[in-house]
Amino acid sequence: MYEIFTTEETYRKSLEVLDKQFINDNLFSCYLDEFPGGPESILCNIAEIMAVSDRLLEELRILYDGQVTVDSITSILRKFADDHFPAFVTYCANTANQQDILSKHKAEDPDFEKFLTDREVCLHGQNLNSYLILPMQRICRMPLLLDAINKKTEPDSPDKAPLTSLYEDICEIVERCNEGVRRAETRKKMENLDRRCDFSKIKLKSFTEKSDRLIIRDGVGHILKFKSGKMMGSKINMWLLTDYLVIGVNDPRDESTIILTECSPRQLVKVMPHFQPPSSYKKKIEPDRIFHLHLLSPDKKFIVQCQSPSEKDKWMEVLSRKETIDEDETIYEEWDVPIVQAKHHYEKTNEDDLELAQGEICRVLKKYTDGWCFGQRQSDGERGWFPMSFTVEIDSDHAKYREILRKHQLLEKIVSNEKSTAVFSTMHRG
């Protein structure tokens, strides 16, 4: 348990070096003032992070001057997990942007680079990045320290349940920090793609036009075509976004440019994993690398070859719809849910209910046959249960694409019936 205190003390001393050698250095401040986003683009909410460490260290010192128990350390960290540690999520989400800006300015400003190099010599080889990463390292270490205490706590101890709950909640905060980093890195990647891609042939205007859009998966493959016993392949780039599947090819005149050729709403993508080449094609082929790709709007079909069987499996996983429907419930994909609006005010009657004001917009994540839904308020992201009778479904991409899918399935059924009838007629004439 003492390691929580000693490591916090060491961490705070390192933050003091950052504060003295950089944050409160007049020349460093002048450099940051010239950055497009100002000091916040690099330091973000570091002042809040340092204040959290000050308060935690103060409470830990008082505790360690007396009797340290599992209950007392759990109580202190529970308060900080609930009220203060979420500040780390904000800081960590900025790290990708932070490193990108620093690298850019070091390359563009020799004086700034010299300042950092000179300061690194003064700090015996420790550079600015090694100090800026400290908050992320600290919050990521906290679950390890708690886990060590948890393992030494007897299973039947009254301290076990609160400590386990605290450990799980801090693990969730760490996951949010990591997710923030991944999201920021993905957005940077999308900004770079915006600069490289030609969008003139598709309806998408840019990868970053929606703030909540992310890249789910990307990769390189080939579109195959079979004709007269021959197979031809053209190289493609594929990106599965939160809401679209996008396909592009390298510009033959400029390899650094990608011409985007296909763009389909994610809901209107169908894949079939099993592939058999035409009987006229006699050469050996690897069907475990190939899948059928059908874009329903516009109606286009492709044969896609991946770089490996495992790549194919990964694309099958992310492109296949996983909407679960059984006798009692429907569970929707997070990216494809019905949108409802409250007709009346719904006042929560249970702790896990979701209170709705009249006119409130909600995303339906689960729907049950007994009339209850589990959803998410659009205004603040809060989740909970509410009766479907208090809401009405409104126009959304989900509703529009559901109707297109319904018509497509009906058309497939008609075509299938016509084929069956034709086969039956041929057999009957025979």
Side-chain angles (χ1 to χ4, degrees):
M1 288 189 289
Y2 285 93
E3 193 176 358
I4 289 179
F5 172 67
T6 56
T7 54
E8 187 67 30
E9 202 167 39
T10 302
Y11 162 66
R12 187 63 186 90
K13 286 178 181 177
S14 297
L15 289 181
E16 287 172 4
V17 175
L18 172 64
D19 191 40
K20 181 180 178 181
Q21 297 294 332
F22 295 100
I23 298 174
N24 285 319
D25 182 274
N26 290 332
L27 183 54
F28 184 69
S29 297
C30 288
Y31 283 123
L32 294 194
D33 287 337
E34 295 175 0
F35 288 8
E40 291 77 15
S41 63
I42 301 299
L43 302 177
C44 195
N45 64 332
I46 191 66
E48 183 182 7
I49 295 291
M50 294 170 74
V52 169
S53 181
D54 286 340
R55 287 194 291 268
L56 178 57
L57 200 54
E58 182 181 351
E59 294 205 23
L60 289 174
R61 280 183 179 136
I62 294 171
L63 175 65
Y64 280 79
D65 284 342
Q67 185 178 7
V68 183
T69 63
V70 173
D71 176 62
S72 60
I73 198 77
T74 300
S75 179
I76 289 175
L77 291 178
R78 164 52 66 192
K79 180 173 64 175
F80 276 80
D82 292 342
D83 301 334
H84 304 299
F85 286 170
F88 285 92
V89 178
T90 302
Y91 183 86
C92 293
N94 188 58
T95 54
N97 185 56
Q98 178 191 85
Q99 298 305 313
D100 188 59
I101 292 173
L102 282 174
S103 297
K104 181 181 178 181
H105 281 272
K106 283 168 65 178
E108 293 177 350
D109 188 344
D111 292 337
F112 180 58
E113 183 178 26
K114 184 177 184 304
F115 167 82
L116 293 178
T117 303
D118 291 346
R119 197 51 52 95
E120 184 177 338
V121 172
C122 294
L123 295 171
H124 309 290
Q126 295 294 310
N127 60 28
L128 174 59
N129 289 342
S130 66
Y131 288 100
L132 291 174
I133 200 68
L134 286 170
M136 186 162 187
Q137 291 174 338
R138 181 56 183 169
I139 193 64
C140 288
R141 189 175 184 184
M142 193 63 74
L144 302 177
L145 298 171
L146 286 173
D147 189 45
I149 299 172
N150 201 16
K151 286 177 178 176
K152 294 177 182 178
T153 304
E154 294 296 330
D156 57 351
S157 167
D159 298 326
K160 189 72 172 181
L163 180 60
T164 301
S165 175
L166 172 65
Y167 168 76
E168 291 172 350
D169 288 349
I170 292 184
C171 282
E172 184 181 342
I173 292 172
V174 171
E175 177 54 33
R176 287 167 57 197
C177 290
N178 290 328
E179 180 59 31
V181 172
R182 288 193 293 268
R183 182 184 180 86
E185 290 174 344
T186 301
R187 293 294 292 184
K188 281 289 175 187
K189 184 176 182 179
M190 292 165 69
E191 288 171 8
N192 290 333
L193 282 170
D194 278 348
R195 289 189 284 270
R196 289 188 61 198
C197 292
D198 176 354
F199 292 84
S200 61
K201 294 186 177 182
I202 64 171
K203 60 183 176 182
L204 211 65
K205 302 303 179 187
S206 81
F207 282 96
T208 56
E209 63 186 348
K210 289 177 65 176
S211 61
D212 59 346
R213 177 181 290 153
L214 294 174
I215 296 175
I216 307 301
R217 181 161 190 79
D218 60 353
V220 176
H222 287 81
I223 286 180
L224 304 181
K225 292 183 179 179
F226 295 87
K227 188 176 181 180
S228 304
K230 296 181 179 180
M231 180 181 75
M232 295 164 286
S234 45
K235 186 179 178 181
I236 59 167
N237 302 278
M238 291 196 300
W239 298 271
L240 178 64
L241 309 178
T242 313
D243 50 351
Y244 282 95
L245 174 67
V246 180
I247 298 175
V249 297
N250 290 93
D251 189 338
R253 299 163 299 179
D254 179 7
E255 281 294 309
S256 64
T257 300
I258 301 173
I259 301 172
L260 303 181
T261 56
E262 306 294 341
C263 175
S264 173
R266 189 176 176 185
Q267 295 93 328
L268 301 182
V269 174
K270 289 186 69 177
V271 288
M272 290 168 284
H274 304 297
F275 172 77
Q276 286 294 330
S279 56
S280 60
Y281 186 75
K282 305 300 182 183
K283 293 184 180 180
K284 186 178 179 181
I285 199 169
E286 298 178 80
D288 55 353
R289 291 170 51 198
I290 302 172
F291 67 90
H292 291 276
L293 174 65
H294 186 184
L295 311 182
L296 302 184
S297 180
D299 190 2
K300 293 184 178 182
K301 295 180 180 180
F302 303 96
I303 300 170
V304 178
Q305 183 183 53
C306 299
Q307 293 181 309
S308 67
S310 63
E311 277 291 301
K312 173 187 170 180
D313 291 342
K314 290 171 184 175
W315 277 107
M316 288 295 98
E317 174 68 20
V318 294
L319 289 174
S320 301
R321 293 179 64 84
K322 301 176 188 65
E323 182 174 298
T324 304
I325 302 175
D326 62 23
E327 291 182 359
D328 299 318
E329 67 176 355
T330 301
I331 303 175
Y332 298 98
E333 293 271 27
E334 287 271 353
W335 49 270
D336 182 26
V337 298
I339 306 297
V340 298
Q341 185 172 32
K343 297 185 292 184
H344 320 286
H345 170 241
Y346 172 66
E347 185 174 351
K348 63 190 298 183
T349 55
N350 298 301
E351 185 62 31
D352 56 355
D353 282 0
L354 186 65
E355 185 150 340
L356 301 177
Q358 185 175 358
E360 190 97 55
I361 304 296
C362 278
R363 303 171 71 246
V364 178
L365 305 176
K366 299 178 185 178
K367 185 166 64 176
Y368 289 79
T369 53
D370 63 3
W372 281 86
C373 291
F374 183 80
Q376 180 182 45
R377 269 198 311 250
Q378 195 163 283
S379 58
D380 59 5
E382 189 73 23
R383 297 186 177 199
W385 297 92
F386 59 90
M388 196 67 177
S389 59
F390 276 70
T391 66
V392 59
E393 186 172 357
I394 60 177
D395 288 341
S396 64
D397 286 345
H398 173 87
K400 179 173 69 175
Y401 298 144
R402 182 179 59 203
E403 183 61 21
I404 293 174
L405 282 170
R406 189 188 67 79
K407 289 180 179 178
H408 175 76
Q409 289 165 355
L410 180 61
L411 183 61
E412 278 190 331
K413 189 174 182 179
I414 291 172
V415 171
S416 177
N417 288 340
E418 287 177 347
K419 287 181 178 179
S420 298
T421 301
V423 170
F424 177 78
S425 298
T426 302
M427 292 173 62
H428 182 70
R429 286 197 300 271

